[in-house]
Amino acid sequence: MNDASQTYAHATIDAFELDASLHEPMRLRERIHALEWLEEWLDEPRDDEPLRIRARSLHARLAKVQARLCEGLRSDIRAGNGAASLQRWRPEFVDGSEGYDHLDGLMSEVFAFDEPADSIAPLEPDMVFYQPTPMRHVFDLVTRASITDDDLFVDLGSGLGHVPMLVSILTGARCLGIEREQVYVNGAQRSAEALRLGHVSFVAQDVREADLSSGTVFYLYTPFTGAILGSVLERLRREAQQRPIRVVTFGPCTTVISAERWLQPSDESNTNLIAVFHPVAV
Ligand SMILES: C[S@@+](CC[C@H](N)C(=O)[O-])C[C@H]1O[C@@H](n2cnc3c(N)ncnc32)[C@H](O)[C@@H]1O
């Protein structure tokens, strides 16, 4: 470590130690920033053992605040009070990026996903690899799509199940995740059971073959493109002839879906945000 970076590390750790507000539960963004900085710094070999000891001890204290916060949220969710507890984390402003932030750090710990130990099956052409919707957009989705406990929300390509779980906690809606990868479905089921989310279920199936007959809201975070997207949209169009549905999208598939004549966007202002489409007669 050269002199300048050692001085910088000392100053940063001093500042973190002096900032008592990092221990306040609501200072989540700042605490996660401090934890990540400390982890990165501790990852590198350093010849300043006294500073390493201070950094490790500070990290342990901040991690304990974080663990207590997450355990509180987990027990509120298990008791059926998750919507009220999570209200305070609802973002006031949602930017259009697909990047992750402190809310993703918080909810990953609350959902307690385990890293898949088994290997993941290779994707077919037109299938998109797993990447979760950033949590702030899921909060936004619930509002924009006006989801209520009368809905059956279906995540098409649900991965580890963040979206159905958070939507169900926030709204009481029944939620279904359809995901072709069994390893992800197993992980999602374990997380939902641990939180006693009785309204959430997952099936390991290809969306092209799954039963879509009871969904009222269908969500796509660009799970597939090309011919697969085309065939699933055709299935949704037929579902829309049977009953009212909404189609909710995020990511690049929004532009493709906007071109569907049978779907009308409820708001055309920003294709980088969650988009809600209503079927119309053509
Ligand atoms: C971009 S991720 C979205 C994950 C999740 N919906 C979310 O927003 O957090 C796409 C997911 O779709 C799954 N997938 C891709 N093609 C699929 C298909 N034909 N049937 C079911 N799942 C599929 C992938 O395995 C992956 O987990």
Side-chain angles (χ1 to χ4, degrees):
M1 194 162 44
N2 65 32
D3 282 353
S5 70
Q6 189 162 16
T7 306
Y8 178 72
H10 270 273
T12 306
I13 292 169
D14 284 348
F16 287 156
E17 283 177 335
L18 284 171
D19 187 354
S21 74
L22 289 177
H23 299 262
E24 292 166 14
M26 286 308 286
R27 297 271 291 178
L28 178 68
R29 184 194 302 267
E30 296 77 7
R31 186 168 48 256
I32 287 189
H33 165 73
L35 281 164
E36 286 174 356
W37 189 93
L38 289 165
E39 278 155 24
E40 220 169 277
W41 188 80
L42 282 163
D43 250 8
E44 295 291 317
R46 313 275 175 196
D47 52 10
D48 188 340
E49 191 51 24
L51 194 58
R52 283 185 74 83
I53 291 169
R54 281 172 57 199
R56 273 198 293 269
S57 146
L58 179 60
H59 184 278
R61 278 177 280 135
L62 293 178
K64 207 163 163 189
V65 175
Q66 203 51 25
R68 215 178 297 131
L69 171 64
C70 292
E71 199 33 62
L73 286 172
R74 286 174 66 78
S75 84
D76 288 346
I77 292 168
R78 282 194 291 261
N81 300 325
S85 290
L86 287 172
Q87 268 317 314
R88 65 190 157 135
W89 301 107
R90 183 181 286 278
E92 276 165 25
F93 169 77
V94 177
D95 69 51
S97 85
E98 290 185 49
Y100 298 103
D101 66 17
H102 58 289
L103 272 185
D104 300 286
L106 176 73
M107 293 312 295
S108 297
E109 215 171 322
V110 169
F111 290 145
F113 295 115
D114 30 47
E115 281 294 308
D118 302 312
S119 57
I120 306 298
L123 295 172
E124 288 175 30
D126 289 341
M127 291 183 179
V128 176
F129 61 90
Y130 176 55
Q131 188 173 321
T133 303
M135 286 294 151
R136 63 187 178 286
H137 291 292
V138 186
F139 277 93
D140 197 31
L141 181 165
V142 162
T143 310
R144 283 178 190 271
S146 309
I147 300 188
T148 72
D149 57 4
D150 283 337
D151 280 310
L152 197 155
F153 174 92
V154 185
D155 185 4
L156 303 174
S158 50
L160 282 169
H162 299 64
V163 180
M165 288 195 276
L166 185 53
V167 169
S168 182
I169 293 166
L170 292 175
T171 65
R174 283 173 302 141
C175 294
L176 169 67
I178 303 173
E179 167 59 53
R180 68 186 285 276
E181 176 52 64
Q182 181 76 57
V183 172
Y184 293 153
V185 170
N186 295 344
Q189 280 167 339
R190 275 196 298 275
S191 299
E193 275 162 29
L195 289 171
R196 300 193 196 128
L197 297 178
H199 288 339
V200 181
S201 54
F202 296 97
V203 287
Q205 236 180 336
D206 191 304
V207 170
R208 286 170 292 184
E209 281 133 34
D211 178 9
L212 305 179
S213 65
S214 43
T216 61
V217 181
F218 293 93
Y219 175 59
L220 300 99
Y221 176 27
T222 316
F224 24 70
T225 58
I228 304 183
L229 182 56
S231 75
V232 171
L233 285 172
E234 180 51 26
R235 290 197 66 199
L236 293 179
R237 193 181 66 78
R238 276 191 246 122
E239 292 297 328
Q241 289 167 348
Q242 308 303 316
R243 62 191 186 285
I245 65 167
R246 283 102 88 202
V247 176
V248 180
T249 66
F250 182 59
C253 72
T254 296
T255 309
V256 178
I257 292 173
S258 307
E260 292 285 316
R261 286 180 50 238
W262 65 280
L263 284 172
Q264 182 78 44
S266 58
D267 174 5
E268 296 187 44
S269 55
N270 193 337
T271 52
N272 296 325
L273 295 173
I274 289 283
V276 182
F277 295 88
H278 296 271
V280 288
V282 283

